[in-house]
Amino acid sequence: MPELQEVCAETSQCSPISPSAEVVNPRENPFLLGKLLQFVINLMQSHNLPLEHGDFFEPCVNALTSEGICQLVAATCSEELLTEMAKSGGRRNVLNLKENPPEDSLCVLWNRLPRGSQFKKQLLESLQKKAAEYHRLAEGSATVNLFQQRFSELVRVFELDARETDMLLLSYLRNIDLWKRSTLDSCRYSKIQTIGAILQIPFLAVAKILADTGKLRKYFCIDKDYDINEGVDAFLAGLTNEPFVSRYFIRHTEVALPWAMHGKLAEQHGEVLKALLATRESGRGISILLYGEPGTG
C-alpha cells in the first residue's frame, strides 16, 4: 500500500510531542466540550430526525446543569402547558424535572412542543452561548493540551479534511462516553443518516467518507462499525508514548542481509547506495527509489 507507506514515513519524521503538554480530563476539555455541543446543536436543528432517546440530550444537561434546565422550562413553559402535556401523553412523572432525569424531560418537551416554541428557541440559544464559551476557553488557553496536539498531528499527517476531522472527533467523543453510544446504535442506513445530521454532511458524502477506501478506514482510524480504533484512542488520550507509526511498521532488529544477497543491485549500484545512506542526517530517514523491469516488484 504505497500511499500508506508514504504517510507512515512522514509520521516517523513528525515533530515530537511536547513534554510539557498537559493531559486534560476529556470531560473538562473545552475543545472537546465545544465540539460536542456544536454536534448536539446540529442534530437538534435537523428537523428530519426524531430525537426519541434521553441520551441525545445528556450533553445539554451537562452543559446547562439540571438547575439551569429547570429555570429554562419555568421561564418558557407555563404550568398549565406542562400539566396538559402530562395528561395528554400520560407522562406526568417524566415531566417532573425534580424527580426524574432532566434529559428524559428534555426529550419529551422537545418532541412534543412545536418547532417555533419559545422553549426550543431558548434552549438552542443557551447551548450556542455555552459552545461559544467553550471555544473561547480552548483558543485562549496558554497551556498546551496533549489531546489537541496529538489530534492535530494525526489530521496533518493523514491530510484529513474538515469533514473527516469531525467524523474522527465524533467517534472519539462516543468512545469516551461524552455522548452515549446509543445515539448511533441503529442500522447502517439510519446511522449514516444521523451522522450526516450531526456533522451537517449529505448522506452520500458520509457514506463515501466511511467507505473502506476512505482515509479513516484505510488508515485504521475507525472500524467497520464507525467506532474509533483502540490504538488511535490510546494515542489521543495520552495513554502511550509509543510513536504512532509503530501501529503500521515494526523496526527490523535482526542482522541485515549482506550486500552479496542483493545480486546485480549490489554489484552495479552498491557504492552509490552506501554513499546515499552515509549522507543521511542523524535521526531522519532517506527516500531511495528502486525500480527494475516490469513485473520484478
Side-chain angles (χ1 to χ4, degrees):
M1 193 181 296
E3 187 178 351
L4 179 57
Q5 293 175 357
E6 292 171 8
V7 168
C8 291
E10 183 180 349
T11 309
S12 66
Q13 301 175 19
C14 285
S15 56
I17 299 299
S18 170
S20 61
E22 181 185 14
V23 179
V24 179
N25 185 327
R27 296 184 179 278
E28 299 174 0
N29 187 330
F31 171 74
L32 287 174
L33 294 175
K35 292 297 295 187
L36 171 63
L37 277 191
Q38 189 56 61
F39 291 160
V40 172
I41 292 168
N42 291 347
L43 184 58
M44 294 171 72
Q45 289 178 328
S46 174
H47 304 297
N48 298 324
L49 293 175
L51 307 180
E52 298 176 343
H53 200 290
D55 285 348
F56 280 110
F57 296 91
E58 188 172 350
C60 304
V61 179
N62 292 337
L64 304 179
T65 74
S66 298
E67 182 180 355
I69 296 296
C70 288
Q71 292 174 354
L72 178 63
V73 173
T76 58
C77 301
S78 66
E79 193 65 36
E80 292 77 15
L81 173 63
L82 295 177
T83 301
E84 182 60 32
M85 286 181 61
K87 288 180 178 179
S88 62
R91 304 292 291 277
R92 180 186 297 275
N93 291 334
V94 173
L95 287 174
N96 188 330
L97 279 78
K98 296 181 180 179
E99 297 180 1
N100 296 280
E103 57 267 25
D104 289 343
S105 298
L106 274 181
C107 184
V108 173
L109 287 167
W110 185 265
N111 286 303
R112 297 286 302 283
L113 292 174
R115 181 181 302 179
S117 68
Q118 192 64 21
F119 167 76
K120 288 190 174 183
K121 290 180 180 179
Q122 290 295 321
L123 178 59
L124 284 172
E125 287 181 11
S126 298
L127 293 174
Q128 288 164 343
K129 288 180 180 179
K130 193 65 179 180
E133 179 184 330
Y134 284 137
H135 290 317
R136 286 194 298 270
L137 286 173
E139 293 175 357
S141 176
T143 306
V144 177
N145 184 292
L146 182 64
F147 171 83
Q148 287 171 255
Q149 190 179 35
R150 291 192 168 190
F151 188 78
S152 297
E153 194 75 359
L154 287 186
V155 170
R156 182 184 69 81
V157 170
F158 291 141
E159 297 182 344
L160 304 181
D161 61 25
R163 291 177 170 182
E164 293 163 335
T165 299
D166 280 350
M167 194 82 73
L168 186 58
L169 264 177
L170 177 60
S171 296
Y172 182 77
L173 289 169
R174 292 180 61 245
N175 190 63
I176 61 175
D177 256 1
L178 262 182
W179 205 1
K180 294 294 186 182
R181 300 176 71 85
S182 58
T183 54
L184 288 179
D185 284 345
S186 56
C187 68
R188 179 182 175 85
Y189 179 89
S190 297
K191 187 178 291 188
I192 292 176
Q193 187 181 30
T194 303
I195 290 175
I198 292 172
L199 304 183
Q200 294 188 324
I201 302 175
F203 183 93
L204 291 180
V206 175
K208 183 177 180 180
I209 293 173
L210 295 175
D212 293 347
T213 54
K215 290 181 181 179
L216 295 180
R217 295 285 305 281
K218 184 165 58 176
Y219 298 150
F220 311 109
C221 293
I222 60 175
D223 59 25
K224 60 183 179 63
D225 295 319
Y226 315 146
D227 294 324
I228 197 165
N229 277 324
E230 185 177 343
V232 179
D233 174 47
F235 175 75
L236 292 176
L239 300 179
T240 175
N241 288 321
E242 185 180 0
F244 191 70
V245 70
S246 63
R247 298 185 64 246
Y248 303 96
F249 296 107
I250 58 174
R251 182 178 294 276
H252 181 76
T253 57
E254 298 177 11
V255 178
L257 291 175
W259 279 108
M261 293 292 293
H262 296 280
K264 289 186 178 181
L265 177 65
E267 295 175 10
Q268 298 176 4
H269 307 292
E271 294 305 316
V272 175
L273 290 171
K274 288 180 181 180
L276 286 172
L277 292 172
T279 62
R280 179 177 64 88
E281 295 181 28
S282 178
R284 294 180 63 88
I286 185 171
S287 298
I288 301 174
L289 174 64
L290 304 176
Y291 67 95
E293 296 297 325
T296 60

